[in-house]
Each structure stands twice: as structure tokens, then as C-alpha cells.
Amino acid sequence: MCKLFIMTNTSELKKETIDKLIKASSKSMYSTERDGFGFSIKGDKGVFNRRFLNPIDACLVPKTYKYKFLKQNMNQDGELGTIDSLIMHGRTSTNVLGLINTHPISKHGISLCHNGVVEDSGPDFDMISDNDTEFLVERLSEGIDSIEKHITGYYAFAAYKDNQLIIVRDSIAPLYFTELIEHSCHVFATTRDLLKTVLKSAGLKHGPISELEDNIKLVYQGKDLISQDSITPKGRSSYADSMAEKSLGHSINSIDSMDSIVDYTDSDLDLGEERFLVEIETNADHTWTFFKGRHSYTFHEFLN
């Protein structure tokens, strides 16, 4: 499946640390996401995007190609200045391979990275890519209500729009959350393992990891979370469901893999976290009940 890694405040980190985060993310994602890697940075010079067709080439400052006749493996737009926040994306293609479809997809002053598969029922528009993620970019330019009205399928995405960082997750596409211990920064990723691996490789300590609440929109202005709202997705589609194995890593009817179920530890189960995080209850009959928004799922505990 595609994977996201998002940091809301990197202003306290050195560029060498940012480079380690980018390299660690692309390396960690490369085992399954081999169809491209990109990142989007917001700083004092606006939004800067860089995309790599080969994820193992990803870095903050790429090497210069010595020979102009070699096939270009990277492109970029914008100018790199300070680094205030960061979005990264590893791609498993569900459509056409190529840099044009590698995230971030940029249009209307929006740069967006997305995990999932979506379809659009809104007014026609001119496509600049062959990627369904562009549907989200187009509708987000009209407002989140346009996504709720016109987009079917499933999605977790992060986008820069109007100098803000917007993070959205529906009830299907996974997204996990933690905080850095020594820095004022919220960090999000598609899997728990990705959060742990990337932060550890950069020498950054983090707190408990929890799953975001279903159907949520978070908006950051600088390092501050300025709004937190519920969304009402239009619903799934048969096409998106058919692509779930490739885009999510499991069929649409599979709630969680067993690996993610047994990965919970006492330190992760801080039920006092903010309301957008998941809650878990251990039952007397040796089952776990996972509460996610309005839904709950019960699993049997492994016993020796």
C-alpha cells in the first residue's frame, strides 16, 4: 500500500536530521512501495516539492546528474528555504507509473499526498496527471465539503493549502499518531512500524502511538493545531474496494492485520489522549474491543 509520513513542526530540527528522516522513510517504504517517493516541505519560501521515480535516490539535496543524456529520475518545484513542516509519500501504483503520478500532486496552489483509491462525481475539469489523487486536489480547492459531496472510495491524505497543513482520514485508510518528546511536533504515519523505524533512525524520541479517530480533519497553522472537525465521506465504491488489496495491503473487509493487533503495549494505551485517538478495552472473557468512532470490533486475545 502507499504510505504517508507527516511532521507538523520541523523548525527545531537541523537539515541534517531532515535528510535522515527522508532517507529513512524512503528506505523503510521501499520494501513495499517501489513505484515512487516524494516529499513536500513548507517553509519561509513557500511550498517546495521533490519527487523521485526511484525511491532509493530520495534525499533532501540530490546528487547532480553528470550526463544530460541519462533518464531523469527526479523533478521538483518551488524553492527550498527553511523547513517548518514535512509530508512524505511512498507509492504503490494503482494507475500509471511515472513522475507525473508520483506524489505530491500539485495544483491550484495545493500540494497533496494520499493513501487510498478514490473516484470523483463532481464537475469535469482538466487533468494534469493520470492519478486519482488529483480528484482530491481539485475538490479540496473548492473546500472539504466538496470532497464529502463528490469523492467516493477511501483516503488518508495530507496537503498544504493557504499556508496551512491539512490532515484528513476517513474510516478505512489507516493513519497513526505520536508526539516527539524533546520537540513540539506531532507525527503521523500509515503504520506504527513506520513511525517507530523512521523516528528511531533519526535519533528522535517519541511518546505513545495511537490510531486517529475515524472521519477526522485536522488543520495546523505553523506548529499549532488550530481546528479539529469531523467529516462525512460520501462512501465507498466497488472500484475502490477492488483495489484495496494493492492500495491498503488487505481486502476492504479486513479491519486490521494480526500484527497490528498484537502490537499494542501498555504504554500505547493512554485513554486520556485527545479525542481523535482510538480507545481499546480489555474484556473479562479475554477479548479486546477496539472503539473507533461509532464502530467497535472485538478480537480474541492470544493466550499461552
Side-chain angles (χ1 to χ4, degrees):
M1 61 178 171
C2 293
K3 288 192 175 74
L4 292 166
F5 192 97
I6 307 153
M7 300 189 74
T8 63
N9 176 31
T10 55
S11 61
E12 301 172 23
L13 304 179
K14 297 179 179 180
K15 285 191 175 182
E16 291 81 1
T17 303
I18 302 296
D19 191 49
K20 287 182 181 179
L21 288 164
I22 291 170
K23 291 177 179 178
S25 292
S26 60
K27 181 179 178 181
S28 181
M29 295 178 189
Y30 185 68
S31 61
T32 51
E33 285 67 57
R34 301 192 174 195
D35 297 333
F37 180 88
F39 59 82
S40 191
I41 288 170
K42 184 171 74 67
D44 61 339
K45 296 183 179 180
V47 175
F48 174 78
N49 301 310
R50 182 170 281 144
R51 304 186 293 179
F52 299 84
L53 195 57
N54 187 349
I56 63 175
D57 290 338
C59 57
L60 184 60
V61 181
K63 297 177 181 178
T64 302
Y65 283 99
K66 183 177 180 180
Y67 302 107
K68 293 183 178 180
F69 56 78
L70 291 178
K71 184 178 180 180
Q72 290 296 303
N73 187 49
M74 181 273 291
N75 66 12
Q76 66 185 41
D77 60 83
E79 189 175 352
L80 180 63
T82 61
I83 303 175
D84 296 333
S85 60
L86 173 66
I87 305 169
M88 294 184 279
H89 181 274
R91 185 174 188 235
T92 294
S93 176
T94 56
N95 39 63
V96 180
L97 291 172
L99 280 171
I100 194 170
N101 290 326
T102 301
H103 301 204
I105 304 297
S106 298
K107 189 179 184 182
H108 303 309
I110 297 171
S111 292
L112 186 147
C113 295
H114 160 229
N115 173 31
V117 175
V118 295
E119 293 180 276
D120 178 47
S121 62
D124 291 340
F125 62 92
D126 293 330
M127 295 280 288
I128 62 171
S129 72
D130 299 305
N131 197 319
D132 60 325
T133 297
E134 189 176 342
F135 300 149
L136 287 166
V137 179
E138 187 72 23
R139 299 309 161 207
L140 185 60
S141 70
E142 302 163 349
I144 193 68
D145 55 334
S146 186
I147 289 179
E148 295 173 294
K149 181 179 180 180
H150 296 301
I151 297 295
T152 54
Y154 44 88
Y155 46 83
F157 67 82
Y160 290 122
K161 178 188 178 186
D162 299 330
N163 204 37
Q164 295 177 331
L165 170 60
I166 301 171
I167 301 170
V168 176
R169 185 213 169 201
D170 69 3
S171 62
I172 300 173
L175 201 59
Y176 291 84
F177 163 89
T178 191
E179 287 186 271
L180 296 187
I181 292 176
E182 298 174 352
H183 304 276
S184 176
C185 182
H186 293 171
V187 190
F188 302 80
T190 301
T191 68
R192 290 170 170 270
D193 284 344
L194 185 60
L195 273 175
K196 294 176 182 177
T197 301
V198 173
L199 293 178
K200 182 179 180 180
S201 69
L204 298 174
K205 298 179 181 180
H206 63 85
I209 297 175
S210 301
E211 189 171 12
L212 263 67
E213 182 183 322
D214 292 350
N215 303 322
I216 195 78
K217 176 174 75 78
L218 308 174
V219 179
Y220 287 84
Q221 184 80 55
K223 65 181 180 181
D224 298 320
L225 176 63
I226 62 171
S227 70
Q228 175 180 315
D229 301 293
S230 297
I231 63 169
T232 306
K234 185 176 181 180
R236 285 156 45 186
S237 67
S238 57
Y239 171 72
D241 285 5
S242 71
M243 300 299 292
E245 194 72 41
K246 190 171 185 180
S247 65
L248 296 178
H250 58 75
S251 67
I252 204 68
N253 294 319
S254 175
I255 303 303
D256 275 306
S257 69
M258 295 309 295
D259 286 342
S260 65
I261 294 167
V262 300
D263 192 33
Y264 285 96
T265 65
D266 289 340
S267 64
D268 291 332
L269 305 185
D270 183 1
L271 300 187
E273 291 287 343
E274 296 181 46
R275 62 182 174 86
F276 61 77
L277 305 181
V278 69
E279 293 186 358
I280 305 169
E281 181 179 281
T282 303
N283 305 316
D285 61 350
H286 302 291
T287 63
W288 293 327
T289 300
F290 290 64
F291 294 91
K292 295 171 61 180
R294 298 183 299 274
H295 308 290
S296 65
Y297 312 100
T298 301
F299 297 94
H300 285 285
E301 187 177 357
F302 286 100
L303 300 176
N304 294 327

